[in-house]
Amino acid sequence: MNLEILGISVLWLFLFGYVIIGSIDFGAGFFNAYSLLTGRQHILTHIIQRYLSPVWEITNVFLVFFFVGIVGFFPKTAFYYGTTLLIPVSIGIILLAIRGSYYAFESYGSRGHKGYSFMYGASGLMIPAALSVVLTISEGGFVSLQNGKPVLDYWSLFTNTFTWSIVVLAISAVLFISAVFLTWYADKANDVGATSLLRKYAMIWAGPLAISVIGIMVELRKHNPEHFHRMINVWYLFAISAIMFIITVLFIWKRRNYGIALALLIGQFAFAFYAYGVSHYPYLLYPYLTLYDSFTNEAMATALVVVFILGFCLLIPSLYLVLKLFLFDKDYVKGKEKGHV
Amino acid sequence: MNSENAVFFSRVLTELTLTFHIIYATIGVGVPLMIMIAQWLGIKKNDEHYILLARRLARGFVITVAVGVVTGTAIGLQLSLLWPNFMQLAGNVIALPLFMETFAFFFEAIFLGIYLYTWDRFENQKKHLLLLIPVAIGASMSAVFITIVNAFMNAPRGFDVVNGQLVNIQPILAMLNPAMPTKVGHVLVTAYMTSAFVLAAIAAYRILKGSNHPYHQKSLFLFMKLGLIFSLAALLIGDFSAKYLVKYQPEKLAAAEWHFETGKNASLILFGVTDGENVKYAIKVPYALSVLAHNNPFAKVTGLNEFPKEETPPLYIHYLFDTMVLIGMFMIVLSAVYVFGMNRNWKFISSKWFRWLMVAGGPLTIIALEAGWWLAEVGRQPWILYKYMKVADAATTSEHVDLMLILFCILYIILGIGSVVVLRRMFIRNPIEQEIADRHAERSGDVR
């Protein structure tokens, strides 16, 4: 395996990490707001707070890690994506900023501000929409070079059905991932009410997710046939993902094995995510930028890999500690300890 | 919008984001150390007040850290969004410290979460103290790495340019550039100094507002003492920085000091105004600039006229230099008088006016911090990568930077007001007297 592939695999892993834990976070905010609207917040708020509070800052780091890493390994992406993404990413940053800081303001400063909860919930759905535009652009067709400078055609981006099917996928995936995770977490806490409500949400969002995936395949065939055919070449990866999805839904429906359902959920997204990534190879921005012509020099690549390995030796045990303390600690999950500073 | 405008608005937006971010970032670097010291003192002296101090600091810290994290994410992305050409070039040479900064940040984020949520889980407070060490290390290390990136922009090295291509890249050499030691040192100690003086200002304010609890007295004394130590260190490293400038970036010092003609026995200029050639209404300290530059009153100092006009920074950086140094000196004197006065029981240090001075010290130090960063950044105009790339060539070609500037302005207003309101409410609703009473009630409840 060469360094380019290693680099992008690692970054893809971090993006995947962000997709999962970011989704849990975004979805939790939405469900919290929705339950407030329907007067059921007493069922959900505690479960959501207990999970989110200790990890809220860590979630953000996964994103930072991805965008710092991609500029490090593939400096040319800064030129292409930096120039074209000014508006969507700036909007993403602003939403993330308001969401992140007001989460802290509310949970540590003044509790129970309603208007804020709605904003928090709504922004949680707008962020994946704003950020998923990057995926759409990477498929090509929206960026053109004018005088050697990349320019994004906003009109064709916003009027394209492919863009919107990605947005629908992003939002339904967020809500599905979040609901499945929180069902498991609520079940661990022996919170029957929260479990059954979240289970219902998971069942509701499984449908749109499946439909939007099929929609994207149809759109992609039209939009970028080359990528579509590469995806067909790895159909078995998508098939595994689909089977895992069906079993997840089955378990949730039968109200059992929530732990396995969660593992299968992560598995199905991992397979789909990596299959998508592999079939995108070798392009970072179709058709201008490939993995190879944007890769950094060898000295920097080696240095980054070394730092990466050392960093991981530090992070894995620390992350394990967090999981042990807040995800697998029965007393904490059940809310028996009130440990906040 | 043409590309000249894009450059201008990119500069304004970057400056706005950084100006806002560094307030929270500096507190984010300094406060974990203060929490650690307070917690350690509490354990060592077996004094509940220091433990409570650590706890209350941590609680407020969450709010500032949240704003620091989100604005840090903003500037991290803005680097690529607003300066794509620069990042493309720099990514080849300087990605390593950027990458390491994320690790440090990650490390801090993990342990901060654990620290905050395990407050009553450990019987042994020492174990809890151990959790703070990675938080403080992570916070300081992320400052170290990000400052290395900035140092590289001032003193790029670790690569060769052959026919417009970067070759022979040495990431470690790029990190260990000559600007690095003084920059990193100055940033770290001034971050500790700022945090200490801001916290001292809060304590002084509480005392002025009538709370004469020993908690505030202890915290005031502790932070003034720490502030004194770190401001002395800042002075020392600041002096090294001036000597660095003489050697590597002489036009920055010459512009900051309005030193136009090369000459021996150079005098240091305080205040004044200039029309670009003559300096009026200034206080001149003879020989002082030669001393600052070379430790020798008779040494020759290169003047601004030696450099091509289009490569010199704007002359207003002199005011920034004055502001930074004056406030720094003032804080050293103020904290020294206070600390010695406490030891010798001088009366006036408990007078109202002296306490108001200490309250003013908090915002003043933040002004010095901003002035110092503006001096450092504007002082290397017109370069983004000193002697390699000009700011004008690095900016985005996108047409919507002005609109983004407005949006981010609104964002920072919301975040700034929000954080102040929440912090005020947090501590006014739960003053120390109340917290101690609650704590005791809870304890006796346990016994029953």
Side-chain angles (χ1 to χ4, degrees):
Chain A
M1 188 159 72
N2 53 21
L3 281 175
E4 285 91 337
I5 304 286
L6 180 68
I8 196 70
S9 311
V10 164
L11 293 175
W12 206 237
L13 180 70
F14 265 86
L15 192 58
F16 176 68
Y18 184 66
V19 166
I20 297 293
I21 62 170
S23 295
I24 296 172
D25 186 338
F26 296 143
F30 176 79
F31 291 134
N32 193 34
Y34 183 71
S35 66
L36 207 62
L37 197 70
T38 50
R40 284 184 280 200
Q41 79 271 30
H42 56 278
I43 307 180
L44 290 188
T45 303
H46 292 294
I47 284 288
I48 289 173
Q49 281 273 347
R50 225 173 288 145
Y51 163 74
L52 280 187
S53 297
V55 301
W56 127 92
E57 208 192 337
I58 304 173
T59 309
N60 203 47
V61 189
F62 275 84
L63 177 67
V64 177
F65 204 100
F66 173 74
F67 71 69
V68 170
I70 197 154
V71 174
F73 277 103
F74 305 96
K76 275 209 178 100
T77 52
F79 177 68
Y80 283 94
Y81 281 114
T83 310
T84 50
L85 290 177
L86 180 70
I87 293 183
V89 173
S90 291
I91 291 173
I93 302 172
I94 289 172
L95 291 172
L96 274 174
I98 292 185
R99 193 170 187 276
S101 51
Y102 273 74
Y103 177 75
F105 293 175
E106 203 238 19
S107 359
Y108 303 94
S110 45
R111 272 177 199 281
H113 194 283
K114 260 194 184 179
Y116 150 75
S117 293
F118 289 125
M119 230 168 63
Y120 187 71
S123 65
L125 292 190
M126 280 148 76
I127 293 167
L131 297 184
S132 64
V133 168
V134 181
L135 281 183
T136 320
I137 292 173
S138 78
E139 292 298 338
F142 305 109
V143 173
S144 57
L145 282 185
Q146 291 171 11
N147 303 326
K149 284 159 188 159
V151 176
L152 181 63
D153 183 351
Y154 285 98
W155 179 247
S156 75
L157 182 68
F158 279 104
T159 51
N160 196 301
T161 40
F162 179 58
T163 312
W164 293 105
S165 42
I166 294 247
V167 169
V168 173
L169 172 75
I171 291 175
S172 44
V174 157
L175 294 173
F176 181 65
I177 292 172
S178 187
V180 173
F181 174 85
L182 290 171
T183 307
W184 169 77
Y185 198 70
D187 184 53
K188 254 183 97 72
N190 289 340
D191 189 334
V192 181
T195 313
S196 80
L197 187 59
L198 287 159
R199 176 190 157 272
K200 210 172 82 191
Y201 292 150
M203 295 307 293
I204 289 171
W205 287 101
L209 179 64
I211 293 166
S212 65
V213 168
I214 296 165
I216 280 172
M217 293 304 273
V218 174
E219 290 291 330
L220 193 66
R221 189 175 178 179
K222 207 165 60 189
H223 188 84
N224 186 343
E226 193 183 331
H227 188 182
F228 179 76
H229 287 297
R230 282 176 173 279
M231 277 170 101
I232 298 298
N233 286 342
V234 289
W235 65 271
Y236 48 92
L237 294 177
F238 289 106
I240 294 172
S241 173
I243 292 167
M244 284 176 153
F245 171 74
I246 291 165
I247 303 175
T248 309
V249 176
L250 212 66
F251 277 154
I252 300 273
W253 186 43
K254 297 248 183 206
R255 296 171 202 269
R256 60 194 183 100
N257 302 346
Y258 290 129
I260 301 173
L262 178 66
L264 286 170
L265 171 93
I266 295 171
Q268 70 184 267
F269 275 92
F271 270 97
F273 201 73
Y274 267 85
Y276 174 84
V278 167
S279 57
H280 206 289
Y281 175 86
Y283 292 104
L284 290 175
L285 173 61
Y286 184 85
Y288 299 108
L289 196 63
T290 70
L291 221 53
Y292 296 96
D293 52 41
S294 65
F295 197 57
T296 188
N297 56 84
E298 203 164 306
M300 179 55 79
T302 318
L304 288 179
V305 170
V306 170
V307 166
F308 183 79
I309 292 168
L310 291 178
F312 248 45
C313 296
L314 207 66
L315 290 188
I316 297 287
S318 322
L319 277 173
Y320 173 73
L321 190 61
V322 172
L323 293 179
K324 203 175 146 234
L325 287 172
F326 302 113
L327 228 49
F328 299 115
D329 187 295
K330 278 240 155 60
D331 289 340
Y332 177 79
V333 176
K334 286 179 187 162
K336 280 188 185 158
E337 295 181 20
K338 56 174 201 50
H340 175 41
V341 65
Chain B
M1 195 171 72
N2 57 31
S3 61
E4 221 167 88
N5 276 335
V7 175
F8 174 74
F9 285 117
S10 296
R11 284 184 57 186
V12 177
L13 179 49
T14 309
E15 185 169 4
L16 177 75
T17 302
L18 278 173
T19 299
F20 189 74
H21 174 64
I22 56 173
I23 298 174
Y24 294 89
T26 302
I27 291 171
V29 171
V31 168
L33 185 74
M34 306 299 147
I35 301 176
M36 202 172 93
I37 292 173
Q39 179 107 346
W40 174 72
L41 279 176
I43 294 170
K44 204 184 82 166
K45 295 189 172 178
N46 198 13
D47 185 335
E48 178 192 47
H49 290 156
Y50 287 105
I51 299 276
L52 275 174
L53 176 62
R55 186 168 194 165
R56 287 167 73 85
L57 280 181
R59 219 178 281 150
F61 181 63
V62 183
I63 303 300
T64 58
V65 105
V67 179
V69 166
V70 296
T71 52
T73 310
I75 188 64
L77 276 161
Q78 277 176 358
L79 279 178
S80 294
L81 295 174
L82 299 175
W83 311 101
N85 296 306
F86 164 69
M87 281 307 274
Q88 184 186 340
L89 182 72
N92 278 301
V93 195
I94 205 72
L96 188 62
L98 269 177
F99 206 54
M100 288 161 98
E101 199 245 341
T102 7
F103 272 115
F105 174 39
F106 214 142
F107 196 52
E108 181 196 348
I110 289 175
F111 282 95
L112 182 64
I114 299 178
Y115 175 77
L116 292 175
Y117 279 84
T118 52
W119 190 271
D120 287 325
R121 239 198 255 193
F122 300 113
E123 281 300 313
N124 189 346
Q125 278 292 322
K126 276 184 193 155
K127 268 191 199 164
H128 205 222
L129 175 66
L130 285 180
L131 287 172
L132 271 173
I133 296 171
V135 178
I137 290 177
S140 293
M141 285 319 276
S142 54
V144 168
F145 291 126
I146 207 66
T147 312
I148 288 177
V149 176
N150 184 272
F152 171 81
M153 294 162 87
N154 281 279
R157 67 172 46 189
F159 61 96
D160 293 316
V161 181
V162 178
N163 300 331
Q165 299 285 316
L166 298 184
V167 292
N168 298 334
I169 287 163
Q170 293 168 283
I172 307 285
L173 193 68
M175 284 176 67
L176 303 176
N177 59 70
M180 188 274 259
T182 46
K183 278 241 174 206
V184 168
H186 201 62
V187 164
L188 275 187
V189 294
T190 50
Y192 301 146
M193 166 188 157
T194 308
S195 307
F197 284 135
V198 166
L199 296 173
I202 295 171
Y205 185 75
R206 293 308 306 160
I207 296 171
L208 271 170
K209 285 285 145 188
S211 168
N212 224 342
H213 201 278
Y215 168 88
H216 295 302
Q217 301 286 357
K218 284 176 191 171
S219 120
L220 180 62
F221 186 59
L222 171 66
F223 291 126
M224 285 307 268
K225 210 160 53 179
L226 289 171
L228 175 63
I229 295 167
F230 290 121
S231 52
L232 285 171
L235 174 71
L236 183 71
I237 301 173
D239 183 58
F240 292 154
S241 305
K243 294 186 170 55
Y244 159 81
L245 286 181
V246 173
K247 205 166 167 198
Y248 293 94
Q249 238 174 332
E251 71 271 29
K252 193 191 253 182
L253 188 69
E257 272 308 314
W258 291 344
H259 184 62
F260 298 108
E261 296 295 334
T262 303
K264 295 181 177 176
N265 315 338
S267 35
L268 189 85
I269 292 175
L270 284 178
F271 315 114
V273 287
T274 186
D275 55 5
E277 281 167 25
N278 304 304
V279 179
K280 275 188 260 180
Y281 315 118
I283 303 170
K284 291 194 176 177
V285 188
Y287 306 111
L289 186 60
S290 290
V291 174
L292 184 68
H294 298 285
N295 277 343
N296 172 359
F298 312 110
K300 190 165 84 173
V301 181
T302 317
L304 204 56
N305 294 345
E306 308 286 317
F307 303 94
K309 264 259 171 330
E310 67 278 7
E311 289 185 11
T312 53
L315 290 174
Y316 73 79
I317 62 172
H318 173 73
Y319 306 117
L320 302 173
F321 189 67
D322 275 358
T323 308
M324 172 183 79
V325 173
L326 278 178
I327 294 176
M329 294 297 181
F330 172 73
M331 292 314 294
I332 290 177
V333 174
L334 184 75
S335 53
V337 168
Y338 179 80
V339 171
F340 286 111
M342 281 298 277
N343 284 332
R344 308 228 165 124
N345 273 327
W346 291 344
K347 278 242 166 70
F348 75 91
I349 56 162
S350 7
S351 65
K352 263 197 169 167
W353 65 268
F354 196 83
R355 280 185 180 144
W356 276 115
L357 282 183
M358 290 191 282
V359 173
L364 277 177
T365 328
I366 290 188
I367 291 172
L369 173 83
E370 299 284 5
W373 267 115
W374 292 331
L375 164 70
E377 295 305 285
V378 180
R380 70 183 150 98
Q381 287 300 315
W383 302 105
I384 192 166
L385 204 55
Y386 187 62
K387 300 281 183 198
Y388 284 99
M389 186 186 244
K390 290 204 172 164
V391 170
D393 302 320
T396 179
T397 48
S398 177
E399 291 179 351
H400 309 287
V401 189
D402 47 355
L403 182 67
M404 294 302 118
L405 175 64
I406 296 169
L407 286 182
F408 276 98
C409 256
I410 298 170
L411 170 70
Y412 299 142
I413 291 171
I414 294 175
L415 292 186
I417 293 175
S419 57
V420 172
V421 167
V422 169
L423 278 173
R424 273 181 56 92
R425 199 180 291 161
M426 213 169 180
F427 290 102
I428 287 174
R429 279 198 191 158
N430 186 18
I432 184 68
E433 291 83 354
Q434 180 73 43
E435 184 157 357
I436 290 176
D438 287 352
R439 214 170 144 81
H440 286 194
E442 204 174 289
R443 282 233 182 100
S444 55
D446 283 346
V447 174
R448 241 186 309 138

